[in-house]
Amino acid sequence: MENPVIILGAQTVGTAALDAFLSNDVVVYCLLDDDKKLQGTELLDVPVMGNTDDGELLKLLGKKCEVFVATEDTASRRSLTEMLRTEYEAVPVNAIHERASVSNHATLGHGNYIGPNAVVAATATLGDGCLVGANAVVEARATVGSFSQLGSGALLGADVQVGELAFVGAGAVVVAGVKIGDKARIGAGSVVVADVPNGQTVFGNPAVKV
């Protein structure tokens, strides 16, 4: 990546994304965050400079800087991504940690974070704006919908389908072929052996509706 990156969000997700870029020797120009307590501070020696809608800094996008959206809230991440596309014609780059293993035969959208030691296998597919935590595994032919999140150590078996805006907690296992609906939530450590409808929350081993 030739251009430096501006990260929108300087909290947990922003810290993880910053670490991923730095692990690949990518220059991060600054972070932006709406929390005024963070503005004027530094994160891993990179300045936090202003709000996520700072027009002067966002003018740099697409010409001199790339962008990554790292806000905590999923809805905010999606709305900021849409704003960048419509107002600045900027598409977020992927933040893939140096120690992640992403197959050349996997399909990735834009603005995804893939943490250290995570694995995205050949023929797996990620949409846009997904967060894949450290040590998570996405096996062959599994698909993850846009703006979904996989916690640390989560495992998606082969042919699993995860809808958009879904959440799979840390250490959860979704067995091969299971379908997880849009906005569904899987509790940490759960073992999912049956399909989960849109918007449903499940937990346990085997996972049941909460």
Side-chain angles (χ1 to χ4, degrees), residues 103-178:
S103 170
N104 290 332
H105 304 288
T107 301
L108 271 62
H110 303 286
N112 295 297
Y113 165 76
I114 301 176
N117 303 315
V119 176
V120 181
T123 66
T125 301
L126 301 183
D128 297 329
C130 298
L131 304 179
V132 180
N135 301 300
V137 177
V138 183
E139 293 191 347
R141 300 181 304 280
T143 61
V144 182
S146 294
F147 303 102
S148 290
Q149 182 172 349
L150 308 182
S152 298
L155 170 62
L156 303 185
D159 298 299
V160 164
Q161 296 178 31
V162 176
E164 294 189 357
L165 302 163
F167 175 85
V168 180
V173 175
V174 183
V175 301
V178 165

Side-chain angles (χ1 to χ4, degrees), residues 6-11 31-35 39 48-55 57-58 61 67-72 76 79-80 83-84 88:
I6 294 175
I7 298 176
L8 306 188
Q11 301 182 46
L31 301 100
L32 303 178
D33 198 281
D34 295 336
D35 185 344
Q39 294 169 13
V48 182
M49 295 180 71
N51 292 328
T52 55
D53 59 356
D54 187 315
L57 285 168
L58 294 181
L61 301 181
V67 66
F68 183 83
V69 181
T71 51
E72 308 298 300
S76 169
S79 64
L80 277 171
M83 179 273 289
L84 291 168
Y88 296 93

